[in-house]
Amino acid sequence: MSIIEAQQLSKSYKVFRKKEGLLGSIQGVFHREYKVIEAVRDVSFSIEKGEMVAFLGANGAGKTTTLKLLSGLIHPTTGEAHVLGHVPWKRENAYRRRFSLVMGQKNQLWWDLPAVESFRLHQEIYRIDKAVYDRRLDELTSLLEVKPLVRQAVRELSLGERMRMELIAALLHAPEVLLLDEPTIGLDVVSQRRVQDFLKFYQQSQQITVILTSHYMKDVQALCKRAIIISGGTLRYDGPLAELVEKFSQYKLLSLQFAGEFNADELQTYGRIIEHLPPRVKLEVPRHNLPELLSNLLARYSIEDLEVQERPLEDVIAEVFTAAKSQSTEK
């Protein structure tokens, strides 16, 4: 049995639609109009023990709602889910001791107290043996390079330091499942790298199961081999991250270095010019007829060097979101 299973999971909300003006407000007292918003719609997937899966989607796609369903914070409208053999929204103590949810935009630490005070509270809540607690705290603070900061008030820490403290709080009770919602949002490059390196090492050494949502594709590429894409509340892709570009990208990038003169306007007949720094030009070209384009270019121009690249992952993901949104609009 998979560690995480979701079957046709759906969540919808009724949102009050207020009319404009004083008259609209008065009418709303006697007759309220509602709009149904489907945050998640018939989403099904399964995740095995020890997997680290990227859960991707644009803002409002349903990513965070899905994580809240899996953590039991909210109930689904329809569908089923099991995590570690538990139904999340039953909120059983046995389940709550086996997972953690970290949300990059929300704090679980006491703002005006040192982080270590929040850690001690977690020790009591999860009934962690003192020797085990001391060992885990020492290990986690060392790995995340924050040992000298645990007695400093949380509000005095930088954003990157606070996020590392949040991860420590989430991992003190050694959860088997870790749900990460934008863990590096707003962090500088150095802090992002520290969090990435830690998560990669910890997940591999502990073999915990992780679902990661992030808008930073470097997080995704550094940590995950599998991606689930959700758009408009519906699952659009579930498979290897490495196959995502090949499956959805219609274009490749072609970098050319010319030995002689060339006509930039004429090059536009081969593809879209995205960079022009003579004698180098970078083109975005259709991937299906790349061999023919290369043959024509080599016959027409004197070229010293060329390189074919895949488009950046974030561009391909954006293309998937745009296509999914267009399909939803047409329906």
Side-chain angles (χ1 to χ4, degrees), residues 10 45 49 66 86 90 119 139 143 147 154 159 167-169 203-204 222 247 266 269 288:
S10 297
F45 59 86
K49 178 179 172 58
T66 304
H86 297 272
K90 287 186 177 180
F119 298 157
E139 178 186 27
L143 287 171
K147 188 174 288 189
V154 171
L159 182 59
L167 285 170
I168 292 171
Q203 190 273 335
Q204 290 177 348
K247 181 176 178 66
E266 187 177 288
T269 61
H288 66 275

Side-chain angles (χ1 to χ4, degrees), residues 62-294:
K63 307 186 303 298
T64 301
T65 300
T66 304
L67 292 193
K68 287 180 177 179
L69 287 166
L70 295 177
S71 63
L73 290 178
I74 57 178
H75 288 245
T77 306
T78 59
E80 299 179 356
H82 292 87
V83 182
L84 297 164
H86 297 272
V87 177
W89 40 91
K90 287 186 177 180
R91 300 291 289 165
E92 299 163 308
N93 285 335
Y95 173 56
R96 288 189 280 183
R97 295 179 185 280
R98 301 177 68 188
F99 85 95
S100 274
L101 170 65
V102 178
M103 306 183 76
Q105 295 179 329
K106 293 187 178 180
N107 299 319
Q108 60 179 321
L109 304 176
W110 291 91
W111 188 249
D112 293 312
L113 296 178
V116 71
E117 298 297 332
S118 293
F119 298 157
R120 288 196 184 107
L121 178 60
H122 279 242
Q123 178 194 2
E124 294 298 325
I125 291 173
Y126 291 101
R127 300 177 185 176
I128 307 171
D129 178 79
K130 187 178 186 309
V132 174
Y133 166 81
D134 290 340
R135 175 174 54 80
R136 287 179 186 163
L137 182 61
D138 181 69
E139 178 186 27
L140 291 168
T141 53
S142 297
L143 287 171
L144 284 164
E145 303 176 33
V146 291
K147 188 174 288 189
L149 304 174
V150 294
R151 300 188 183 281
Q152 190 171 329
V154 171
R155 58 181 166 77
E156 296 174 358
L157 301 175
S158 70
L159 182 59
E161 291 164 348
R162 289 203 303 273
M163 178 47 62
R164 282 178 272 165
M165 296 296 187
E166 293 281 347
L167 285 170
I168 292 171
L171 296 172
L172 277 172
H173 64 288
E176 298 167 64
V177 170
L178 180 61
L179 308 175
L180 296 172
D181 189 26
E182 301 285 357
T184 61
I185 190 167
L187 302 190
D188 59 74
V189 175
V190 175
S191 295
Q192 284 181 31
R193 184 61 181 269
R194 281 176 176 160
V195 170
Q196 289 170 7
D197 290 344
F198 167 76
L199 288 173
K200 188 172 185 177
F201 171 80
Y202 189 85
Q203 190 273 335
Q204 290 177 348
S205 63
Q206 302 298 318
Q207 281 299 294
I208 64 172
T209 305
V210 181
I211 296 182
L212 166 74
T213 78
S214 180
H215 282 98
Y216 296 120
M217 289 303 107
K218 288 185 179 179
D219 284 352
V220 174
Q221 290 175 296
L223 298 171
C224 303
K225 293 182 179 179
R226 174 184 169 193
I228 295 174
I229 296 180
I230 187 170
S231 180
T234 302
L235 193 144
R236 302 289 179 180
Y237 175 81
D238 182 358
L241 188 65
E243 295 178 9
L244 186 59
V245 173
E246 185 175 347
K247 181 176 178 66
F248 287 101
S249 180
Q250 305 299 313
Y251 301 93
K252 283 197 173 189
L253 300 180
L254 178 60
S255 296
L256 303 166
Q257 181 169 322
F258 293 87
E261 294 184 358
F262 63 93
N263 187 322
D265 291 335
E266 187 177 288
L267 286 176
Q268 293 186 37
T269 61
Y270 296 92
R272 184 171 70 91
I273 296 177
I274 59 175
E275 190 176 295
H276 183 195
L277 296 171
R280 298 194 68 88
V281 173
K282 182 178 285 188
L283 298 171
E284 185 181 74
V285 299
R287 67 187 303 139
H288 66 275
N289 61 346
L290 181 61
E292 181 183 347
L293 287 174
L294 285 174

